[in-house]
Amino acid sequence: MPFPHIGQQHVGGGPMQGLVEEFQSLSVGSIPGSLDSGIDAKSLPRPLDGDEEPRILESYPLNCHLRFLRLTTHTIPSSQSLLARWHLPLGAVVTPLAEVPEGEEVPIVNFGTAGVVRCRRCRTYINPYVTFTDAGRKWRCNLCSLLNDVPGEYYCALDATGRRLDIDQRPELSKGSVEFVAPTEYMSSLSQPQMMVVADLDDVFLPLPDDLLVNLSDSRHVVDAFLDSLPSMFQNSANVESASGPALKAAFMVMSQLGGKLLVFQSTLPSLGIGRLRLRGDDPRVYGTDKEHTLRIPEDPFYKQMAAEFTKHQIAVDIFAFSEKYSDIASLGSLAKYTGGQVYHYPAFQAATHHEKLRYELARDLRRETAWEAVMRIRCGKGVRFTTYHGHFMLRSTDLLALPAVDCDKSFAMQLSLEDTLMTTQTVYFQVALLYTSSSGERRIRVHTAAAPVVTDLSEMYRQADTGAIVSVLSRLAVENTLSHKLEDARQLMQLKLVKSLKEYRTLYAVQHRLGGRFIFPDSLKFLPLYILSLCKSAALRGGYADVPLDERCATGYSMMILPIRRMLKLLYPGLYRIDEILTKGTDNLDESLKPLALTSQCLDARGLYIYDDGISFVIWLGRMLSPDIVNSILGVDLSSFPDLSRVQLYEQDNNISRRMMRILKALREKNRSSYQLCRIIRHGEQPREGFLLLNNLIEDQTPGSSTYADWILQIYRQSQSS
């Protein structure tokens, strides 16, 4: 057979449709002189352009933007039997407060004293998909079909086609996303700040429970003075114990009347009082046994109980963990998990190295748009319902997510099921409603509405599949699986879903076409095998005891539960760029010059300088034969006199090469404002740093216990062939 290649096939679909189906195929042939099947690795599909949003708004222009809501396939199967053949998740990824480009703000609608117009049966908010009848006096709910009266003050006549004459002046009838002002008052009175010392760890009480909190703008100078004096207050203390539990209880007592956000800065294992944790450590003998998962779940129920109390009183908790040694992020992180918070992990924190990252991420945490005291519900039309939810929240009833705080960097995944054997509607509608208090104290309801067609054809489900949404749901399912199963089981589960899906797709065409030695897959899912391989090689899932420190594994898991789609895909398949030529020659168009490369060591040239960017850190790789002038210009020092690169800091030097370097780093950081990439510099062949910082993360290469991308494709191909 000829050397393998990728080709596009245009094949007629089933009898139900006259449309042209487009699938991609990969010839799996034998390489001359070898008995093995082979695949030309260069021809494999790679997501070098990052997330590709599906083009849904063209056919559904009234839907909310995909940055707020994406379905795993923009179709709903018409029957249980069709759903049973779709082996991937059927569900959605919701980012209710996603950042919008300037000029595309979500419109604010104030109904005033009339109140927000909603369906009286299912409580759906009025939206672009409702229809008006009876000369404009009634409106039909698009989710439950009930005919509602139009309130007098909301009445408007209809034109000849049944559209309201004022539709263009009404964002709620013409836009997929709106924000309604909810009429409520919210007041709080605050006083002067004081420091609180808790002497008794077992019986925490507040010396002055009523006036410990202050209004920042009124007392800014006092707060600043207190923060300035903090470093010197305890500098002579020899005590390294940590009483996190009692501190949490005290903070809860102070905040419980008001709610808000609690930031916990933890640099050692909690060791005193309630909630103290033992150094259960990472036991290599437990890996591969039924007890393995217990290392990744909280040991003491105190933290989950505390989280439930925090949520009840509208307090979100963010964890900043700094320890070099084990600090049980599995337990501490549950505070963030159930309160809508997040976990920031700075392993082996050094102020000189990490200060810029911490400063940026702390400022982002405090400044980003945040919704307080929130609850979120996703309603859907007849015949479908959401059954499971995945992310950081507390589930208050079967479908109400309690979120003491939620912001633009948080996403939620959920899975759908069909309620009946057969669907009776042609279209299914979804509506996300987030009720919250804005930072200015106004009660708001943010509403996103979308529609999806009901289909009878499996090939249509594949054609409308959204890889980014599928990978986001699967990643969360995999992380959750590691909390009750072995890592190996979680990886197997992901592989099984992929194989079943591709096998089902193959049988769609095997009847009409001789597929022979071709691996076929839908064009919409061409990157899915690579993303699942990347997921299995991620810090949350890869290897076993020796491959990833336990705290890092748990911290990555907590991050993956909240990441929006674009950031998730970047974490799984990071960018790798060669920049030495840009540094020496300059460029007018940085975006065009920064060309992403395949994640394999075959792309690394000893004469080059490369940046690896996973959205959390930069790894800067200096080739062995890279011009010393470039290195000196960037570092400001001669490399030969600097044996330990782990301590090198990058600052702008007074030369063009250094200025261009800083411009490139700035441009890459601006593509992702939610975190700050810390720079790590490594030298070609520098062990062990080159291995664990870069080579182990080049996911197309072979790493201990895992295959190359080409071998993985062969493995998936063989499994999808077998009956």
Side-chain angles (χ1 to χ4, degrees), residues 374-405:
V375 287
M376 183 167 78
R377 178 175 269 133
I378 296 110
R379 294 180 172 84
C380 36
K382 283 183 190 161
V384 297
R385 66 188 179 91
F386 284 108
T387 45
T388 61
Y389 298 88
H390 313 274
H392 285 186
F393 54 82
M394 187 74 89
L395 204 56
R396 204 178 271 175
S397 61
T398 52
D399 65 343
L400 189 69
L401 277 59
L403 300 161

Side-chain angles (χ1 to χ4, degrees), residues 67-68 94-99 261 263 316-318 339-344 361 364-374 376 392 403-412 434 436-437 439 446 562-564 567 673-674:
R67 66 175 74 94
F68 300 118
V94 173
T95 316
L97 290 175
E99 281 185 294
K261 178 149 59 171
L263 305 186
V317 183
D318 286 337
T339 64
Q342 84 186 77
V343 175
Y344 298 85
E361 289 174 356
R364 168 90 179 175
D365 187 290
L366 297 171
R367 287 179 185 153
R368 64 190 167 195
E369 185 189 356
T370 299
W372 306 95
E373 308 176 315
M376 183 167 78
H392 285 186
L403 300 161
V406 59
D407 55 70
C408 52
D409 296 330
K410 305 280 188 304
S411 279
F412 305 87
L434 179 78
Y436 72 95
T437 304
S439 291
R446 178 168 286 209
I562 61 169
L563 284 181
R567 288 227 29 226
R673 295 172 184 274
S674 49

